[in-house]
């Protein structure tokens, strides 16, 4: 069960005022180590990414909040066919225990109830055990493994591919 501090949760659109905070989360070593792009993102790169996403209605950039306090970031990138999207997420490095689950629940409710997605797809690097468990906890099915698919500058890693269909989404917590 969620701890009481997570009773008022939501995701909302990322806006320009959030960029500095979200960039600080993204560049934190504990977040960055699980990303495909591991270098520190510059403010200009971050601004360019945001500006580009604002021009694409298939991209949904969101801030997760609990009791109006920003605690994480989520994005959904719809495919050309729409109603099927990849997602990415991370909790703020200083977020309290349980924030990730609260983020996942709020984000998936948004995906299936607000933007009416049919399917959410996720990927996890094979060494990211927390992300793998996270997907499994929410009912995602392992749909495949992309062998030696990501090179991090030192070695190749498998990428695990997950999928969750709208009719499978049944939050249990």
């Amino acid at each position: 069960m969620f701890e009481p501090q997570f009773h008022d949760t939501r995701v909302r659109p990322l806006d320009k005022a959030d960029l500095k905070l979200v960039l600080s989360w993204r560049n934190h070593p504990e977040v960055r180590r699980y990303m495909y792009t591991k270098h520190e993102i510059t403010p200009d790169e971050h601004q360019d990414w945001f500006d580009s996403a604002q021009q694409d209605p298939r991209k949904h950039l969101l801030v997760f909040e609990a009791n109006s306090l920003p605690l994480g970031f989520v994005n959904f990138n719809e495919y050309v066919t729409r109603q099927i999207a990849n997602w990415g997420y991370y909790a703020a490095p200083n977020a309290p225990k349980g924030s990730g689950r609260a983020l996942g629940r709020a984000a998936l409710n948004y995906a299936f109830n607000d933007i009416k997605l049919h399917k959410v797809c996720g990927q996890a690097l094979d060494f990211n055990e927390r992300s793998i468990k996270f997907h499994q906890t929410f009912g995602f099915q392992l749909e495949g493994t992309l062998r030696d698919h990501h090179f991090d500058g030192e070695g190749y890693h498998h990428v695990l591919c997950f999928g969750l269909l709208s009719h499978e989404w049944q939050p249990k917590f």
Side-chain angles (χ1 to χ4, degrees):
M1 294 299 293
F2 287 124
E3 298 175 21
Q5 69 261 29
F6 296 117
H7 72 299
D8 184 20
T9 61
R10 71 179 186 133
V11 292
R12 62 161 175 80
L14 175 77
D15 64 36
K16 200 169 195 132
D18 300 310
L19 289 179
K20 186 174 181 180
L21 178 62
V22 171
L23 179 60
S24 72
W25 297 340
R26 171 58 179 81
N27 278 338
H28 189 280
E30 281 304 306
V31 172
R32 199 172 68 234
R33 71 182 281 215
Y34 295 112
M35 297 293 177
Y36 290 129
T37 305
K38 291 190 178 196
H39 74 277
E40 282 198 39
I41 306 296
T42 67
D44 287 342
E45 284 177 282
H46 197 58
Q47 184 68 54
D48 289 347
W49 162 81
F50 177 74
D51 292 343
S52 175
Q54 295 301 296
Q55 304 303 313
D56 189 344
R58 296 171 299 163
K59 293 186 184 283
H60 306 268
L61 308 180
L62 308 164
V63 172
F64 166 68
E65 293 182 334
N67 298 328
S68 301
L69 181 66
L71 292 176
F73 172 77
V74 180
N75 71 74
F76 293 100
N77 295 313
E78 294 180 66
Y79 290 100
V80 174
T81 58
R82 310 281 295 210
Q83 296 186 311
I84 298 174
N86 284 318
W87 80 325
Y89 55 87
Y90 46 88
N94 63 342
K97 186 171 175 57
S99 296
R101 282 188 176 205
L103 176 153
R105 182 176 180 173
L108 292 169
N109 279 333
Y110 177 87
F112 293 124
N113 298 326
D114 294 336
I115 56 177
K116 307 291 188 206
L117 293 179
H118 171 70
K119 181 178 182 180
V120 174
C121 303
Q123 294 186 340
L125 295 168
D126 61 353
F127 61 87
N128 191 345
E129 294 175 15
R130 288 177 66 190
S131 182
I132 294 165
K133 184 176 179 183
F134 182 85
H135 281 94
Q136 292 168 337
T137 297
F138 281 102
F140 281 79
Q141 299 297 308
L142 180 63
E143 295 186 336
T145 300
L146 303 173
R147 298 175 307 128
D148 283 357
H149 194 71
H150 175 68
F151 183 73
D152 67 1
E154 296 177 18
Y156 286 95
H157 300 280
H158 298 338
V159 174
L160 305 181
C161 302
F162 295 93
L164 180 66
L165 302 176
S166 59
H167 72 269
E168 297 169 334
W169 172 235
Q170 297 179 14
K172 299 177 180 85
F173 37 81

